[in-house]
Amino acid sequence: MKKEEKLTVYLGGNSSFFSTAGPAMYQHSLIEQADGRNVAEALSDTYWAKISYEQLLAWNPEYIILAANAAYSVDSVLADEQLADCRAVKNGCVYQIPGDIEAWDSPVPGSVLGSLWLASILHPEACPADLYQQAVTAFYEEFYGFTPEL
């Protein structure tokens, strides 16, 4: 896909929804590996960047992704009246990265599964949920010797 055709993604940080990863952060590569475009790609901060409602609404992402260990919930984002005009909220495209075993949005060996999970959200026709689930099972069985409950 061309850059301008990629689905746009906003990734909210762990401690604050209005904290996001710019291009210097690992989480930016997670979005790119899933063939998405990070709406915060132009930020110059090297760590979690603070943004405002206005900035998020100006970006108007197609998908909002919450960090695995977010201190807020998908429901709280969907219920936020100030976000009602955001495309992702309008379309119910707000998701949280799985983190039951480990936080896949951190630079850990299992983080490749975070990109695969996000690809299954952004491109279910190319990366169906059963393919993602098979990969998770195979990864943890091979490298850690247990079968995860999905």
Side-chain angles (χ1 to χ4, degrees):
M1 287 186 159
K2 293 180 183 174
K3 187 176 184 177
E4 60 274 2
E5 294 175 355
K6 291 186 178 190
L7 295 169
T8 55
V9 177
Y10 174 79
L11 191 142
N14 282 327
S15 59
S16 170
F17 177 67
F18 292 103
S19 174
T20 193
M25 296 287 292
Y26 168 77
Q27 293 79 0
H28 175 79
S29 65
L30 183 142
I31 295 168
E32 286 187 327
Q33 290 167 5
D35 201 30
R37 185 175 65 81
N38 182 1
V39 294
E41 67 188 0
L43 295 179
S44 60
D45 289 17
T46 58
Y47 199 61
W48 292 101
K50 304 282 184 227
I51 65 151
S52 65
Y53 276 104
E54 293 79 16
Q55 179 62 68
L56 182 57
L57 291 170
W59 283 333
N60 199 20
E62 294 166 281
Y63 288 83
I64 292 175
I65 305 298
L66 312 185
N69 296 321
Y72 49 93
S73 69
V74 168
D75 289 340
S76 68
V77 173
L78 290 170
D80 188 328
E81 292 180 11
Q82 294 182 71
L83 295 174
D85 290 330
C86 179
R87 195 168 23 177
V89 172
K90 277 184 189 178
N91 296 327
C93 294
V94 179
Y95 302 90
Q96 185 167 12
I97 297 172
D100 295 338
I101 300 170
E102 59 186 329
W104 292 342
D105 55 341
S106 296
V108 298
S111 64
V112 68
L113 300 171
S115 291
L116 189 59
W117 170 82
L118 185 54
S120 77
I121 299 296
L122 299 179
H123 309 288
E125 69 291 342
C127 184
D130 62 332
L131 175 67
Y132 148 72
Q133 292 169 348
Q134 290 169 8
V136 170
T137 300
F139 178 87
Y140 285 105
E141 286 178 349
E142 176 70 22
F143 295 106
Y144 294 96
F146 75 94
T147 302
E149 293 184 32
L150 301 175

